Amino acid sequence: MNWKEIITECRDVQSADEVNLICGDQLNENHSWYADGPNPGRLYLLMEIRSETDYARHHIQKVVAFFGAMRLFAKRLKDLGHRVHYIALDDEENQQSFAANVSFVLNRSGALRFSWQQPDEYRLDEALNSLAADCEKKGVDTECADTEHFYTRRMDLAEFFKGKKTYRLENFYRSMRAKHHILMDTEGNPEGGQWNFDANNRQKLPKDHVIPPPKLYHRDVTFLQNLVHTAGVDTVGNLDLEGWGWPLTREEGLNLLEYFVDVLLPHFGDYQDALTRQSWSVYHSRLSFVMNTKLLSPAEVNHAVELAWRSHPESVSISQAEGFIRQILGWREYMRGIYWAHMPDYATLNFFEHKRPLPDWFWTGETKMACLAHAVGQTMQHAYAHHIQRLMVTGNFALLAGIDPDEVDRWYLGVYIDALEWVEITNTRGMSQFADGGIVGSKPYTSSAQYIKKMGPYCKGCHYIPNAKIGKDACPFNALYWHFHVRNRTKLERNPRIGMAYRTWDKMAPEKQQALLETAEMNLDRIEEL
Ligand code: FAD
Ligand code: SF4
């Protein structure tokens, strides 16, 4: 793949009537912008800019994946006959921000109209609104279009819960199922007789169970890696030695969807929460990147999964299909709605007032805690960890240890291939760190070593002893679990879902309580050496 040549034909600043901006996560070729075919007066504009590479310290695979997908999308539009101007990271004319580059192209092409699609991130929304205001002042008409990607509009969730004290996923999810007729019978009841099959899912992997390998794409992306490094962009991680793993075109995304439905979906729900060393993605779809860049739509992914269940119920049970569709129709839309209902304040919430810096080993995986070494090591190698690794291993540790949510957010926003603020911050600050005080979820997700020991193989052979609670060799999760609950008692004890933890604590002998708290303090003091 010649990544330079691919965009050589996408240099077009001849005169145009209008300039349409396409952001890196707006690669939806089915958007109505393209429906009437090529328009000689309309110029599509894509750009690789430092304001996007530098707002977090990103994984190299993430930057490469975005640039690769954008270049291939530009070529696709060009092949379809559209006019495209692509500004590469190292182009001399590149002024490295949306505002400066758009103004330059408007001036050069003489266009009197600027259009863009509604961005998913607050910071971009602000930037593009202010750019549009500048355009209007200069006599350029502006228009913002919907991305035509999500099931809901930005403020639909806020509207849905108007007047309610709390948001909860389940009510919203049921209404979405009914509204969009997904997994519903002809009488309007949920297929299978219930809305949610969570209780059937979440098993531990049986011994000797062989997981199918993740589907890889084996593209040579070293040119893009060099482009990013030569420009001096500060990244983490490396390219994957196993081969390039991420679909970068709609065709490849559809191919990954097909692989998921045929090979992985039959066990998706069963092993959704399983932790293992055998596979880095288990039965998860890895479709988040192609959906978050809009190469695939959530509706077509859900449709493929529902169809698989309807046509092959003997291999795809309702609990696998429902478990998967709930993530996309439910959680993904729910998180986006919460983001728009609560930004910009959401980004500053710190319910527990946590202030500890993130340990350096979050960037290297060099820790004696086997579960964390594996989750972080895998993240650096693949720019991916599945939900339970993110929530119950890295997120759980950060929460128990009282890490500043700003630092936790910066880490998650950088290291994952699918990390975009609207879905990263609501999962990290909300679901994982409970820094929103209960907007996303009704209680913090915390656990001692017991959960990690039950769901995966790490504790066997770990430097620390999973069943020990006190002393320097005891698993740090155990004492930190109690330390977290004791230091946040006034904020949590009235929560009916947590009361049990306090009742257990209160029954403990004072010497044991003292020893647990001292062990936790010792671990916090030596957090970099754990
Ligand atoms: P699967 O397990 O195959 O799930 C299918 C799809 O469901 C995903 O592709 C995703 O689109 C959707 N989904 C599943 N869970 C969630 C969820 N909790 N919220 C929203 N959508 C969901 N997801 C991101 O897309 N970007 C992020 O930056 C991100 N950050 C996260 C940070 C933390 C701390 C946690 C706990 C979760 C985060 N998630 C994020 C949610 C989830 O972990 C990922 O969507 C998922 O791991 C992506 O892998 P997959 O495509 O194989 O998912
Ligand atoms: Fe993780 Fe503790 Fe188990 Fe080690 S003993 S793998 S630190 S849960």
Side-chain angles (χ1 to χ4, degrees), residues 106-273:
L106 283 171
N107 280 339
R108 178 78 82 78
S109 64
L112 286 176
R113 188 176 174 78
F114 169 60
S115 301
W116 74 105
Q117 291 178 24
Q118 208 176 36
D120 291 328
E121 296 192 292
Y122 189 85
R123 76 188 163 85
L124 275 184
D125 201 41
E126 296 272 281
L128 293 176
N129 285 337
S130 112
L131 167 61
D134 280 352
C135 287
E136 293 279 351
K137 273 190 217 146
K138 292 177 193 152
V140 173
D141 283 345
T142 64
E143 189 184 22
C144 179
D146 194 279
T147 55
E148 303 170 9
H149 171 83
F150 293 97
Y151 287 94
T152 46
R153 288 167 305 168
R154 279 181 181 174
M155 296 311 285
D156 281 358
L157 186 102
E159 195 57 37
F160 182 82
F161 287 109
K162 200 171 178 181
K164 302 266 180 345
K165 268 198 182 144
T166 50
Y167 300 159
R168 288 299 163 248
L169 172 80
E170 193 60 26
N171 297 345
F172 169 73
Y173 168 59
R174 290 181 188 191
S175 79
M176 292 288 283
R177 287 266 300 276
K179 181 171 176 191
H180 297 282
H181 301 284
I182 298 179
L183 295 181
M184 301 298 286
D185 68 18
T186 46
E187 269 139 48
N189 299 312
E191 290 285 9
Q194 60 195 67
W195 291 98
N196 186 317
F197 288 82
D198 217 16
N200 303 24
N201 293 343
R202 316 196 156 185
Q203 301 160 30
K204 189 185 156 107
L205 281 162
K207 224 177 170 191
D208 303 329
H209 179 93
V210 179
I211 302 167
K215 187 156 186 57
L216 304 181
Y217 290 86
H218 298 292
R219 278 179 183 281
D220 183 354
V221 291
T222 41
F223 173 89
L224 295 173
Q225 180 192 32
N226 292 340
L227 174 79
V228 173
H229 284 164
T230 308
V233 177
D234 183 22
T235 59
V236 292
N238 294 306
L239 292 187
D240 198 333
L241 295 175
E242 282 175 27
W244 179 254
W246 301 102
L248 298 182
T249 61
R250 175 166 169 76
E251 205 183 347
E252 290 176 352
L254 288 170
N255 171 270
L256 184 63
L257 174 60
E258 194 180 316
Y259 182 75
F260 172 68
V261 167
D262 292 349
V263 180
L264 304 173
L265 180 61
H267 284 308
F268 172 82
D270 297 341
Y271 305 125
Q272 201 176 340
D273 284 9

Side-chain angles (χ1 to χ4, degrees), residues 154-437:
R154 279 181 181 174
M155 296 311 285
D156 281 358
L157 186 102
E159 195 57 37
F160 182 82
F161 287 109
K162 200 171 178 181
K164 302 266 180 345
K165 268 198 182 144
T166 50
Y167 300 159
R168 288 299 163 248
L169 172 80
E170 193 60 26
N171 297 345
F172 169 73
Y173 168 59
R174 290 181 188 191
S175 79
M176 292 288 283
R177 287 266 300 276
K179 181 171 176 191
H180 297 282
H181 301 284
I182 298 179
L183 295 181
M184 301 298 286
D185 68 18
T186 46
E187 269 139 48
N189 299 312
E191 290 285 9
Q194 60 195 67
W195 291 98
N196 186 317
F197 288 82
D198 217 16
N200 303 24
N201 293 343
R202 316 196 156 185
Q203 301 160 30
K204 189 185 156 107
L205 281 162
K207 224 177 170 191
D208 303 329
H209 179 93
V210 179
I211 302 167
K215 187 156 186 57
L216 304 181
Y217 290 86
H218 298 292
R219 278 179 183 281
D220 183 354
V221 291
T222 41
F223 173 89
L224 295 173
Q225 180 192 32
N226 292 340
L227 174 79
V228 173
H229 284 164
T230 308
V233 177
D234 183 22
T235 59
V236 292
N238 294 306
L239 292 187
D240 198 333
L241 295 175
E242 282 175 27
W244 179 254
W246 301 102
L248 298 182
T249 61
R250 175 166 169 76
E251 205 183 347
E252 290 176 352
L254 288 170
N255 171 270
L256 184 63
L257 174 60
E258 194 180 316
Y259 182 75
F260 172 68
V261 167
D262 292 349
V263 180
L264 304 173
L265 180 61
H267 284 308
F268 172 82
D270 297 341
Y271 305 125
Q272 201 176 340
D273 284 9
L275 295 166
T276 178
R277 280 203 174 86
Q278 194 199 127
S279 157
W280 54 275
S281 50
V282 203
Y283 285 93
H284 294 273
S285 68
R286 295 197 299 118
L287 287 165
S288 49
F289 176 75
V290 271
M291 274 194 285
N292 291 356
T293 47
K294 304 186 180 62
L295 287 163
L296 295 195
S297 78
E300 68 190 321
V301 173
N302 283 339
H303 177 71
V305 168
E306 177 164 9
L307 191 66
W309 165 69
R310 288 198 186 276
S311 45
H312 299 290
E314 68 294 346
S315 58
V316 178
S317 67
I318 182 79
S319 66
Q320 319 300 328
E322 188 283 318
F324 184 80
I325 285 173
R326 185 172 358 112
Q327 308 307 317
I328 294 177
L329 186 66
W331 280 111
R332 191 167 184 267
E333 299 284 329
Y334 179 74
M335 291 309 207
R336 176 166 179 266
I338 286 179
Y339 181 78
W340 285 106
H342 290 278
M343 281 298 280
D345 296 350
Y346 201 85
T348 61
L349 299 178
N350 188 354
F351 181 65
F352 297 121
E353 295 168 58
H354 284 162
K355 280 280 155 249
R356 195 175 304 281
L358 192 73
D360 282 349
W361 47 258
F362 259 82
W363 299 102
T364 62
E366 286 166 16
T367 162
K368 298 194 283 292
M369 291 181 280
C371 54
L372 280 153
H374 184 257
V376 175
Q378 162 185 327
T379 298
M380 292 304 152
Q381 188 185 349
H382 301 292
Y384 178 88
H386 64 72
H387 188 67
I388 290 302
Q389 292 177 298
R390 299 185 202 196
L391 185 66
M392 297 311 293
V393 182
T394 41
N396 185 18
F397 182 86
L399 176 59
L400 297 183
I403 310 296
D404 186 333
D406 288 351
E407 298 220 355
V408 186
D409 257 337
R410 270 199 287 275
W411 187 78
Y412 281 98
L413 189 57
V415 297
Y416 290 116
I417 195 87
D418 51 34
L420 293 168
E421 192 188 61
W422 63 272
V423 57
E424 174 280 323
I425 201 170
T426 39
N427 271 291
T428 303
R429 204 170 274 260
M431 183 189 280
S432 161
Q433 301 301 295
F434 204 74
D436 64 3

